[in-house]
Amino acid sequence: NFKMQMYSYSVTICKCEVVKNDRQWHILSVCSLLLEQCSPRGQADTEHLSRWKRWKRTSSKSLKKALSEVKGFSSYLVLWRHDIHSIEGKFGTGIQSYFSFLRFLVLLNFIIFILMFSFITLPIIISKYGIFNNTIVNISPKYIDNCTIYEPSGNKGLVYFYTYLQDLLSGTGILEVTSLFYGYYTIDAIWISTMRYNLPLAYLLATFAYLALSLLWIIKRSVEGFKQNLVHDADPFQSYCNKVFAGWDFCITDPNAARLKHRSLQCELQTDLQEEKLKQKIAERTMKEKLRIYSLRIFINIIVLAILSGFFYSIYRVTVFSQENSNDVDNANFQANLLVQYLPSMVITLANFIGPLIFSFLIRFEDYTPAFEIKMTLLRCVFLRLANIGVLLFSLWSQISDCGTDKCKPCGYNYKLYPCWESDVGQEMYKLMIFDFIVILAVPLFVDFPRMLLVTHCSCKLVQWFGLQEFGISDSVLEIIYGQTICWIGTFFAPLLPAIATIKYFVIFYIKKICLKHTRKPAARPIRASSSNFFFLLVLLIGLILAFIPVGVSIARIPSSKACGPFRNFNTSWEVIPDTIVTFPTGLQQVLFGMASEAFAVPFFMIICIIMFYFTALARAHKRVVEQLREQLVLVRFDPFYCHNKENVRATEMRHAEEYWFS
């Protein structure tokens, strides 16, 4: 009886075509082991097998069961598992998807930090204690002496307390000479016995590694979300069946957990019904209403473009002004000089704070669905924030590459203003991350908390009309995507920046959790998690692709500093790759240089296009097969030819369940 109940439960879930969580997956794994024993064919096959094959089949089943047990146990070790389940039950899967996304970024930055620390920072720290021998980068004599002069602004003599605070906020002073920034890494090679550890090559390969790791991990998670999105969008009726018949976890025994699960399903059904209502409203629009809405959307988009242009021009002018005046040592006003130094970060942070508020207000008049409204707001805000970083870097590079006199042309960059330009760019990225973190901390403390006190203790109608601020998922997601893009760009110039990002996101999780439960309220229009997870990762992927551009330009185009860093003896950072390949055997050199030539790139690109076309056609064929199988399942359920005999119905259900399960 137990086996048949488990089998019936698996058939129910298979019909709904959704496995909601790890527990149901574990139950289905156990059911798959029981299918052969339940079926007469499986029992007959077992009786006619030899002892060796019986032992082999039993061992395979035991191994599968052990692996499923380990997988079920490992789910309890997931970071913030209980907190995220509690948020899902109280506020729905839309808000839960944000916290899951935040957890993913914490793990990603921690892995990047381990990678950079292990291959770059740790070898230098060990070598400086005398455990291994090391050699300093030798400067080529073709560069003039002025290029090699670099005096970090370390604190000397009597130091006031506010100086340490300034160093902490700007990355100057004592922080500039630490392993946090690029200028600290001046060792060329580390000798472990007779083996030479090439630090410039390791530095460059570690940069490629963390970018490739981020890309592959995001693509992997995006594919999983895309599959769930396809399943959801395939049939609206199927979505209701999944929630009604397969949405409940029958392993829940705790009353609190059952209440949380009930609220989660209620929020999902509420989202489905609200989206259906909006779709019906859109379908009933007249031609006059459509013309009015489209005209209004065009007008609002023109306003958005004007706002973006104003922000970009302001950032450009402020950055140029700051770089030309921040190093003015004759300025007697310390506070004014400090303000000038922080001016670009302050303007960018202010634009990132004001821009989303304006966009969130304007989009209310465009009459979009809740899901598309979040996507549109995210796209506008992403373009604003990422373009702000691009304008800042463009302004910096225009100053770095500007050689007003012929004296700095042999170096290839403005060494008078930027003796170690990589550390200067790293400091700008560091300041952006610190200021962004300060704003995230300040808004709940100085805006949300006083507003909550007013709403709670003041009965004024105006205060009650404003009420608590909604927990904006698009704004919250954009904050962490913006910070992650800064981290990806700045890691090349500040290798330990991922450690700061890990701590930052770890603290943000608890800040957002407290805001959600005490100082803010959930959005009036809940959103769906299946589409949100995929779209969040898609926007994060856009941020990663845009981060490739400044890092790639810095490595391949801009001359490296001759006064600091591991690439002082190279014209650009990329030159360490061909310099290393030259030391390889002749045959391997020809192969590698051939792979980098156009004769290899053009056929390789054509082959990649053919492979992509093949997989696209294969995906379309699979989609048609799935649609046909769904139609057959519907026909089998309602065809009188199969319904006249209960045994035939039962056999058909079992056969289709087995076909679906093993496919």
Side-chain angles (χ1 to χ4, degrees), residues 164-323:
Y164 290 110
L165 182 61
Q166 174 188 347
D167 295 341
L168 181 63
L169 294 177
S170 61
T172 56
I174 57 175
L175 286 181
E176 189 174 356
V177 296
T178 62
S179 58
L180 178 60
F181 292 107
Y182 173 92
Y184 173 82
Y185 302 90
T186 57
I187 294 178
D188 178 62
I190 298 172
W191 294 92
I192 305 174
S193 184
T194 59
M195 185 177 64
R196 181 177 183 269
Y197 185 78
N198 192 341
L199 185 68
L201 181 63
Y203 198 105
L204 194 62
L205 293 181
T207 302
F208 295 155
Y210 83 77
L211 292 174
L213 173 67
S214 303
L215 179 64
L216 295 177
W217 202 345
I218 293 174
I219 289 176
K220 179 180 178 298
R221 291 179 64 93
S222 300
V223 169
E224 295 175 357
F226 183 68
K227 290 189 293 185
Q228 294 179 1
N229 202 15
L230 283 179
V231 170
H232 176 268
D233 294 338
D235 187 4
F237 179 75
Q238 179 186 347
S239 174
Y240 293 108
C241 293
N242 293 335
K243 293 179 177 61
V244 173
F245 295 106
W248 189 258
D249 186 359
F250 289 93
C251 295
I252 296 177
T253 57
D254 182 46
N256 293 327
R259 186 160 50 252
L260 292 176
K261 187 66 177 177
H262 180 269
R263 291 178 181 175
S264 175
L265 291 174
Q266 183 180 4
C267 290
E268 291 186 17
L269 290 173
Q270 181 182 358
T271 304
D272 292 336
L273 294 175
Q274 190 167 7
E275 286 189 359
E276 291 295 329
K277 183 178 180 180
L278 288 174
K279 290 179 181 179
Q280 183 178 2
K281 179 181 177 181
I282 292 173
E284 294 175 354
R285 286 175 181 169
T286 61
M287 184 61 65
K288 183 178 179 180
E289 292 176 347
K290 291 181 180 179
L291 184 61
R292 180 185 62 83
I293 291 174
Y294 292 150
S295 302
L296 185 61
R297 289 176 181 176
I298 293 173
F299 178 71
I300 290 176
N301 283 312
I302 294 174
I303 296 176
V304 169
L305 291 176
I307 293 172
L308 291 174
S309 301
F311 283 147
F312 297 158
Y313 182 75
S314 301
I315 293 170
Y316 175 77
R317 297 303 306 171
V318 164
T319 303
V320 173
F321 176 79
S322 175
Q323 295 300 314

Side-chain angles (χ1 to χ4, degrees), residues 374-544:
I374 289 179
K375 295 177 182 179
M376 192 67 180
T377 306
L378 264 177
L379 286 176
R380 289 173 178 173
C381 298
V382 162
F383 182 75
L384 168 65
R385 296 202 175 212
L386 298 184
N388 285 344
I389 301 175
V391 171
L392 173 66
L393 293 174
F394 174 77
S395 305
L396 288 174
W397 286 335
S398 63
Q399 296 292 312
I400 293 169
S401 304
D402 183 19
C403 287
T405 61
D406 296 336
K407 293 182 179 180
C408 67
K409 287 186 177 180
C411 300
Y413 62 95
N414 191 351
Y415 64 87
K416 293 183 178 180
L417 190 60
Y418 301 96
C420 183
W421 66 265
E422 291 91 348
S423 292
D424 291 332
V425 175
Q427 288 171 358
E428 291 296 331
M429 297 296 104
Y430 174 83
K431 286 189 288 187
L432 283 177
M433 180 170 289
I434 294 300
F435 269 80
D436 182 62
F437 187 40
I438 292 174
V439 171
I440 294 175
L441 290 176
V443 170
L445 186 61
F446 298 106
V447 178
D448 294 343
F449 184 70
R451 184 172 179 176
M452 183 269 295
L453 292 178
L454 287 175
V455 173
T456 305
H457 300 286
C458 182
S459 58
C460 178
K461 292 184 178 180
L462 181 62
V463 173
Q464 296 299 323
W465 181 76
F466 278 103
L468 295 177
Q469 186 175 354
E470 291 186 354
F471 187 85
I473 297 179
S474 59
D475 298 338
S476 301
V477 169
L478 192 58
E479 288 175 353
I480 57 179
I481 291 178
Y482 167 74
Q484 187 59 39
T485 306
I486 294 174
C487 180
W488 279 324
I489 296 174
T491 301
F492 177 75
F493 310 102
L496 298 186
L497 203 61
I500 301 175
T502 303
I503 299 172
K504 172 186 172 182
Y505 291 140
F506 192 87
V507 176
I508 287 176
F509 180 90
Y510 291 100
I511 293 174
K512 293 297 183 180
K513 178 183 174 183
I514 293 172
C515 290
L516 178 64
K517 291 186 176 181
H518 300 287
T519 63
R520 293 196 179 190
K521 62 181 180 179
R525 293 184 293 181
I527 65 168
R528 190 186 313 282
S530 58
S531 58
S532 300
N533 287 326
F534 172 69
F535 189 72
F536 294 165
L537 291 168
L538 181 62
V539 175
L540 184 65
L541 184 62
I542 294 174
L544 176 60

Side-chain angles (χ1 to χ4, degrees), residues 546-604:
L546 293 179
F548 286 161
I549 300 174
V551 175
V553 171
S554 302
I555 292 174
R557 300 292 299 175
I558 302 180
S560 56
S561 297
K562 306 305 180 292
C564 67
F567 303 102
R568 291 192 294 175
N569 203 26
F570 301 98
N571 186 29
T572 60
S573 302
W574 176 256
E575 286 188 358
V576 70
I577 299 294
D579 185 74
T580 305
I581 294 177
V582 170
T583 61
F584 292 166
T586 306
L588 184 58
Q589 290 183 34
Q590 294 177 354
V591 172
L592 294 176
F593 284 121
M595 293 176 62
S597 63
E598 297 179 356
F600 176 81
V602 174
F604 179 76

Side-chain angles (χ1 to χ4, degrees), residues 56-267:
K56 188 176 180 181
R57 176 174 292 187
T58 305
S59 301
S60 177
K61 293 178 181 178
S62 301
L63 180 61
K64 291 180 180 179
K65 184 177 180 181
L67 292 176
S68 63
E69 291 288 347
V70 171
K71 185 177 181 181
F73 176 75
S74 63
S75 63
Y76 291 94
L77 303 178
V78 177
L79 181 65
W80 297 320
R81 174 178 176 273
H82 180 267
D83 294 334
I84 292 179
H85 283 177
S86 176
I87 291 171
E88 178 185 3
K90 292 181 180 179
F91 304 104
T93 56
I95 296 179
Q96 175 263 343
S97 63
Y98 163 74
F99 287 93
S100 299
F101 183 65
L102 186 58
R103 177 176 60 187
F104 162 68
L105 290 183
V106 170
L107 297 176
L108 176 63
N109 284 289
F110 181 73
I111 297 298
I112 294 175
F113 162 69
I114 294 297
L115 178 67
M116 302 297 289
F117 181 80
S118 301
F119 291 97
I120 300 175
T121 308
L122 185 61
I124 291 184
I125 294 176
I126 294 176
S127 65
K128 288 196 174 183
Y129 281 98
I131 299 177
F132 302 119
N133 296 326
N134 59 75
T135 56
I136 306 298
V137 178
N138 294 321
I139 306 300
S140 177
K142 66 180 180 179
Y143 299 114
I144 59 178
D145 294 336
N146 293 332
C147 289
T148 61
I149 298 175
Y150 173 54
E151 296 180 359
S153 57
N155 299 323
K156 300 177 182 180
L158 182 62
V159 179
Y160 294 99
F161 173 76
Y162 60 79
T163 305
Y164 290 110
L165 182 61
Q166 174 188 347
D167 295 341
L168 181 63
L169 294 177
S170 61
T172 56
I174 57 175
L175 286 181
E176 189 174 356
V177 296
T178 62
S179 58
L180 178 60
F181 292 107
Y182 173 92
Y184 173 82
Y185 302 90
T186 57
I187 294 178
D188 178 62
I190 298 172
W191 294 92
I192 305 174
S193 184
T194 59
M195 185 177 64
R196 181 177 183 269
Y197 185 78
N198 192 341
L199 185 68
L201 181 63
Y203 198 105
L204 194 62
L205 293 181
T207 302
F208 295 155
Y210 83 77
L211 292 174
L213 173 67
S214 303
L215 179 64
L216 295 177
W217 202 345
I218 293 174
I219 289 176
K220 179 180 178 298
R221 291 179 64 93
S222 300
V223 169
E224 295 175 357
F226 183 68
K227 290 189 293 185
Q228 294 179 1
N229 202 15
L230 283 179
V231 170
H232 176 268
D233 294 338
D235 187 4
F237 179 75
Q238 179 186 347
S239 174
Y240 293 108
C241 293
N242 293 335
K243 293 179 177 61
V244 173
F245 295 106
W248 189 258
D249 186 359
F250 289 93
C251 295
I252 296 177
T253 57
D254 182 46
N256 293 327
R259 186 160 50 252
L260 292 176
K261 187 66 177 177
H262 180 269
R263 291 178 181 175
S264 175
L265 291 174
Q266 183 180 4
C267 290

